[in-house]
Amino acid sequence: MLSPPGTGLWWGLLGVAAFSCTVPLTRVAVESGGMSPLFVGSARAVIAAMLAAAALAITKQRLPRGVQWTRVAVVAGGVVVGFPVLTSFALTTAPASHGAVVIAVLPAATAVMAVIRGHERPPMAFWIMAAVGAVAAVVFAALQGGGFSGLHWSDLLLFGAVVAAAIGYAEGGLLARELGAWQTVSWALVLSAPLMIALTGISIARQAPSGTATEWAAFAYLAVVSMFLGFFAWYRGLAIGPMAQVSQVQLAQPVMTISWAALFLHEQLTWPTVLGGIAVIACAGVAVRSRLGQTATKR
C-alpha cells in the first residue's frame, strides 16, 4: 500500500524531534563526571536492547535471514555503538551547542550514503540547496559553539560519529523496507547487546555510576527515546522515503538542539540563533520542495 505524499517527511520530523534532545541530555548526563561516557554510551543501549527484545518476542517477529544479519550489524555499528559512544566521549569537553555541529553535517552525509547505497538520484537543485543548508547549519552551530579555533580530539570524535550515523541511517532506511521500521532498530539493539553489556560492565568496574535525579532522568531519556522509540519514527520515515529527501529534515535539528541546550544547560539563546535557525529551516524546506517537485513531475 502506497503512503500519501509527504508521509515519510512527517515520520522523519517526529524522529528528529525525539533525537533533538540527545546532545544536550548527553551533556547533562556526563557533565558532572558521576557517569562515565563509556557507561552512558553503552548502558543506554543495554536498556534499549531489553525493551527491543521484549517487543520482538511479544509480537513474534521473524528473524532476519542470511545477508540481512550483516546489514543489521552495519546498522548496529553505526547507530547503536558508534554514534552514542563517540558523542558521549566528545561531550565530556565540548558544549552541547558545539556538539550540534554533528547534527548539522549529518543530513548531507546521510544523503551521500543514500545515493551510494540506495542508488537514489536527486535533482541538481536538491544537491545545491542541501549543500547550502549544510553549510548554513555548520556555520550556525559553529558560531554558537565559539567558532573553530582549532581541531580538537572532541571534533574528531564528533566527525567519526557523523560518519557512523550516516552509514547506519542509510542502511537502516533500506533494511526497514524489508524488516519494518521498529523491527530494524530492535534487531540492531539485540545483536549489539553482548558487546554493550560487556562495555557496561567494564565501565562500572572502573567507576560506579552516580548522579542526581536530573542526570538519571537524562540517562533514561537517552535509553528509552534516543536509542529506541525515536528510531521507530525515523526509520519509518526513511523507509517511506525518498531517503535523501527525508534526511534533509535533520537540518532543523541543530535549531532544536541549541534551543534545548538553552533550556536545560542555560546556554545563551540570542537573535543570531533565532535568525540562523530560520535560515537553516528555509534551506531544508527548499531542498525538500525540489525533491517533491521532481517526484510529482514523474507521475
Side-chain angles (χ1 to χ4, degrees), residues 86-174:
L86 291 173
T87 53
S88 293
F89 276 97
L91 290 170
T92 58
T93 56
S97 55
H98 185 79
V101 173
V102 174
I103 307 304
V105 297
L106 186 52
T110 302
V112 171
M113 293 300 174
V115 168
I116 294 174
R117 184 63 183 87
H119 307 292
E120 294 190 8
R121 293 296 183 269
M124 182 59 66
F126 171 87
W127 284 114
I128 292 173
M129 292 312 303
V132 172
V135 171
V138 169
V139 172
F140 166 58
L143 289 175
Q144 293 303 308
F148 296 106
S149 58
L151 191 63
H152 303 287
W153 71 273
S154 58
D155 294 312
L156 296 176
L157 292 176
L158 293 172
F159 177 75
V162 167
V163 175
I167 294 172
Y169 284 169
E171 190 62 50
L174 292 173

Side-chain angles (χ1 to χ4, degrees), residues 62-101:
R62 69 172 180 83
L63 292 170
R65 299 173 183 174
V67 73
Q68 287 179 335
W69 279 114
T70 301
R71 298 171 64 191
V72 169
V74 172
V75 176
V79 302
V80 179
V81 181
F83 188 84
V85 173
L86 291 173
T87 53
S88 293
F89 276 97
L91 290 170
T92 58
T93 56
S97 55
H98 185 79
V101 173

Side-chain angles (χ1 to χ4, degrees), residues 59 72 87 105 149 179 212 258 292 295:
T59 58
V72 169
T87 53
V105 297
S149 58
L179 299 178
T212 64
I258 292 176
L292 284 174
T295 301

Side-chain angles (χ1 to χ4, degrees), residues 45-275:
V46 173
I47 294 174
M50 294 170 62
L51 297 174
L56 291 169
I58 291 172
T59 58
K60 298 180 180 180
Q61 297 294 314
R62 69 172 180 83
L63 292 170
R65 299 173 183 174
V67 73
Q68 287 179 335
W69 279 114
T70 301
R71 298 171 64 191
V72 169
V74 172
V75 176
V79 302
V80 179
V81 181
F83 188 84
V85 173
L86 291 173
T87 53
S88 293
F89 276 97
L91 290 170
T92 58
T93 56
S97 55
H98 185 79
V101 173
V102 174
I103 307 304
V105 297
L106 186 52
T110 302
V112 171
M113 293 300 174
V115 168
I116 294 174
R117 184 63 183 87
H119 307 292
E120 294 190 8
R121 293 296 183 269
M124 182 59 66
F126 171 87
W127 284 114
I128 292 173
M129 292 312 303
V132 172
V135 171
V138 169
V139 172
F140 166 58
L143 289 175
Q144 293 303 308
F148 296 106
S149 58
L151 191 63
H152 303 287
W153 71 273
S154 58
D155 294 312
L156 296 176
L157 292 176
L158 293 172
F159 177 75
V162 167
V163 175
I167 294 172
Y169 284 169
E171 190 62 50
L174 292 173
L175 192 56
R177 297 172 182 174
E178 302 173 21
L179 299 178
W182 71 267
Q183 294 92 331
T184 296
V185 68
S186 294
W187 286 119
L189 286 163
V190 169
L191 183 63
S192 61
L195 172 62
M196 304 314 278
I197 290 172
L199 292 177
T200 300
I202 292 172
S203 69
I204 293 175
R206 291 179 175 177
Q207 175 189 336
S210 62
T212 64
T214 299
E215 291 166 350
W216 281 111
F219 173 78
Y221 183 96
L222 295 173
V224 177
V225 180
S226 295
M227 286 297 299
F228 190 55
L229 296 180
F231 280 104
F232 281 37
W234 179 240
Y235 275 145
R236 179 164 177 76
L238 290 177
I240 294 172
M243 195 185 303
Q245 173 192 341
V246 174
S247 71
Q248 298 310 297
V249 176
Q250 275 196 311
L251 284 169
Q253 193 166 333
V255 182
M256 299 181 189
T257 297
I258 292 176
S259 298
W260 290 122
L263 179 63
F264 298 146
L265 301 170
H266 307 292
E267 296 183 8
Q268 189 175 10
L269 184 62
T270 62
W271 276 111
T273 300
V274 176
L275 296 176

